[in-house]
């Protein structure tokens, strides 16, 4: 399947792609937090197809492009582990280098000889934004090197657009993933039992 820069994904076609790849499951799930949810999201399942990862991230890059106001971004930065492939593929589309941060003594840090120059324009990306916490930490690490974050992108926005990071933000798929305490779970009230995601592994 060739990547066409003009081929846009609609919300419905993205939902279908995520569901077909088992990246978005519908049912009644017991999350590792102990909460219950009718949806389970695992972005790694769309990224495991390299051509699809390239296409999705090219689409994200295309949505980010107008937010860059003509600036030539020289690096895309993401937090390990979830953001690494997204940064790599968005950087491929933008024609710049791809870096990732890792935690060192609890702090998000650029390691492995990754360097940013003062004033360098960068984009920060993620697989999923929920509270924006880890994205903010990456932005801090980038800004500590003197580089400028022009925009933030994510494959999925679970915040309903609520997260404000102080820079323009784009996502491919805005998705509500409601969670409930067991006692308040409407699915439990209907008499079904929650399952742990991954207990029936897909191929
Ligand atoms: Zn339940």
């Amino acid at each position: 399947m060739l990547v066409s820069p003009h081929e846009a994904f609609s919300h419905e076609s993205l939902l279908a792609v995520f569901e077909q790849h088992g990246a978005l499951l519908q049912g009644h799930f017991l999350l590792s937090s102990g909460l219950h949810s009718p949806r389970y999201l695992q972005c790694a399942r769309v990224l495991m197809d390299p051509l699809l990862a390239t296409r999705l991230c090219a689409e994200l890059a295309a949505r980010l492009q107008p937010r860059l106001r003509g600036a030539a971004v020289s690096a895309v930065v993401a937090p390990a582990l979830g953001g690494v492939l997204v940064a790599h593929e968005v950087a491929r589309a933008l024609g710049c280098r791809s870096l990732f941060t890792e935690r060192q003594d609890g702090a998000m840090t650029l390691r492995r000889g990754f360097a940013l120059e003062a004033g360098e324009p960068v984009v920060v990306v993620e697989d999923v934004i929920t509270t924006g916490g880890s994205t903010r930490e990456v932005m801090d690490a980038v800004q500590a090197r003197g580089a400028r974050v022009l925009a933030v992108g994510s494959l999925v926005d679970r915040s309903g657009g609520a997260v404000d990071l102080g820079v323009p933000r784009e996502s491919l798929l805005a998705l509500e993933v409601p969670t409930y305490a067991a006692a308040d779970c409407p699915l439990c009230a209907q008499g079904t039992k929650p399952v742990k995601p991954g207990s029936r592994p897909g191929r």
Side-chain angles (χ1 to χ4, degrees):
M1 211 178 323
L2 282 174
V3 180
S4 160
H6 304 297
E7 178 195 8
F9 287 94
S10 67
H11 180 79
E12 287 68 30
S13 67
L14 282 164
L15 266 185
V17 163
F18 272 68
E19 289 189 358
Q20 282 158 13
H21 285 75
L24 178 63
L25 307 178
Q26 314 273 4
H28 183 188
F29 301 103
L30 176 61
L31 308 179
S32 51
S33 60
L35 297 173
H36 295 195
S37 179
R39 283 179 157 178
Y40 183 72
L41 182 67
Q42 180 49 271
C43 268
R45 297 233 9 144
V46 285
L47 296 169
M48 74 182 180
D49 176 339
L51 293 180
L52 179 59
T54 302
R55 289 177 64 213
L56 291 172
C57 293
E59 171 75 14
L60 179 58
R63 292 186 189 189
L64 283 164
Q65 197 88 61
R67 313 305 293 270
L68 306 177
R69 297 168 174 270
V73 166
S74 53
V76 180
V77 190
L81 192 62
V84 172
L85 291 174
V86 180
H88 192 261
E89 293 303 322
V90 170
R92 187 198 301 275
L94 292 177
C96 64
R97 64 195 202 281
S98 166
L99 282 57
F100 57 86
T101 61
E102 299 162 86
R103 284 198 190 282
Q104 188 171 32
D105 302 325
M108 211 64 109
T109 315
L110 283 168
R111 303 177 67 186
R112 302 174 192 268
F114 288 151
L116 289 168
E117 288 177 19
E120 196 173 341
V122 311
V123 164
V124 169
V125 297
E126 268 276 21
D127 53 351
V128 184
I129 285 185
T130 305
T131 65
S134 59
T135 312
R136 227 172 250 119
E137 288 182 72
V138 177
M139 292 173 72
D140 289 345
V142 165
Q143 283 155 357
R145 303 289 183 105
R148 294 181 297 135
V149 179
L150 299 188
V152 167
S154 62
L155 292 183
V156 178
D157 178 4
R158 284 181 51 178
S159 83
V163 167
D164 182 0
L165 295 166
V167 296
R169 202 158 72 72
E170 289 289 337
S171 64
L172 281 192
L173 191 59
L175 205 59
E176 272 186 53
V177 184
T179 54
Y180 309 102
D184 303 323
C185 177
L187 301 160
C188 284
Q190 288 165 17
T192 63
K193 284 224 182 325
V195 296
K196 278 188 184 169
S199 54
R200 277 199 317 162
R203 285 192 301 146

